[in-house]
Amino acid sequence: MKRIMFCLICIFVGITLSFSVQAQESNLTRDFGIGLQGATPEFGGVSFRYTGLAPVYLQTVGRFILSDQNSDHMLGAGVSYAIFEHQGRWNLSRLYFTLEGAWRYERRMHAIIRKSEITTQHEKTRDYTTTTLGGGIAFGGELVFSLGGIPLGLNVEVGQGFGREKTDSESKGLAGVYVGMGIHAYF
């Protein structure tokens, strides 16, 4: 199984590099990007980027999940400032600082089964909601290269986050290191 995964990764990297070399010097500076962005432990979704104000970049991230009685919604935004950008022949790289914030609402229905004295079961559902509001500052990097003529950007960031999580019964502060990753296609 490990050999198969290794072969698939090698094939993917080979195809990516092949398309990148064939694209020669394509225009990697586009104003809009769409993709996926996530950060540990619980934020992430579909992402939209605007790079037309370079070296300042704007980004929004959101998701809306509704499954039966359960729901999970998230909305985030960030402002980045590129401290270093370099455009080579086949890629564009940038290092940046970013200030980000996000809101998340999660609702879960749990079934509680109780047995009575007459050995009949009663099912009761309880609604649990969690609201999380967080923010943070991060340092990251992005590598943009052409894949079949489409600029594709891969980014990684590490930062310090803080926030507050409120459940039905308690409210607590949150703080810690977070890691984020994303992939975007620019047009």
Side-chain angles (χ1 to χ4, degrees), residues 79-140:
V79 177
S80 302
Y81 180 77
I83 56 174
F84 172 78
E85 285 188 332
H86 174 72
Q87 182 161 3
R89 186 173 179 184
W90 294 312
N91 63 25
L92 170 72
S93 57
R94 64 177 63 106
L95 296 175
Y96 57 87
F97 281 103
T98 182
L99 182 61
E100 301 172 332
W103 165 83
R104 180 180 181 213
Y105 175 79
E106 181 182 26
R107 181 176 153 208
R108 299 274 178 227
M109 297 291 285
H110 293 286
I112 303 169
I113 300 174
R114 296 184 181 177
K115 292 185 178 180
S116 67
E117 294 177 8
I118 335 170
T119 67
T120 59
Q121 293 182 352
H122 297 282
E123 185 174 315
K124 183 179 176 184
T125 59
R126 179 148 185 232
D127 191 15
Y128 293 96
T129 60
T130 303
T131 304
T132 307
L133 185 63
I137 187 165
F139 176 74

Side-chain angles (χ1 to χ4, degrees), residues 18-179:
S18 173
F19 282 138
S20 296
V21 169
Q22 290 174 4
Q24 299 278 329
E25 294 183 36
S26 61
N27 181 14
L28 299 175
T29 56
R30 305 281 176 93
D31 287 344
F32 296 97
I34 184 170
L36 300 173
Q37 183 77 28
T40 59
E42 57 193 20
F43 294 103
V46 176
S47 172
F48 297 98
R49 282 191 168 190
Y50 179 68
T51 62
L53 301 173
V56 176
Y57 302 102
L58 306 174
Q59 178 172 329
T60 61
V61 180
R63 73 171 178 247
F64 179 79
I65 300 171
L66 184 60
S67 171
D68 294 332
Q69 295 90 9
N70 301 327
S71 60
D72 188 358
H73 315 306
M74 196 275 310
L75 182 63
V79 177
S80 302
Y81 180 77
I83 56 174
F84 172 78
E85 285 188 332
H86 174 72
Q87 182 161 3
R89 186 173 179 184
W90 294 312
N91 63 25
L92 170 72
S93 57
R94 64 177 63 106
L95 296 175
Y96 57 87
F97 281 103
T98 182
L99 182 61
E100 301 172 332
W103 165 83
R104 180 180 181 213
Y105 175 79
E106 181 182 26
R107 181 176 153 208
R108 299 274 178 227
M109 297 291 285
H110 293 286
I112 303 169
I113 300 174
R114 296 184 181 177
K115 292 185 178 180
S116 67
E117 294 177 8
I118 335 170
T119 67
T120 59
Q121 293 182 352
H122 297 282
E123 185 174 315
K124 183 179 176 184
T125 59
R126 179 148 185 232
D127 191 15
Y128 293 96
T129 60
T130 303
T131 304
T132 307
L133 185 63
I137 187 165
F139 176 74
E142 182 174 32
L143 179 65
V144 180
F145 56 93
S146 179
L147 181 63
I150 299 171
L152 188 67
L154 302 173
N155 71 314
V156 176
E157 55 191 45
V158 177
Q160 174 67 43
F162 57 91
R164 178 146 304 276
E165 181 177 81
K166 183 179 179 196
T167 61
D168 293 331
S169 59
E170 66 180 356
S171 178
K172 63 180 179 178
L174 303 172
V177 175
Y178 70 92
V179 177

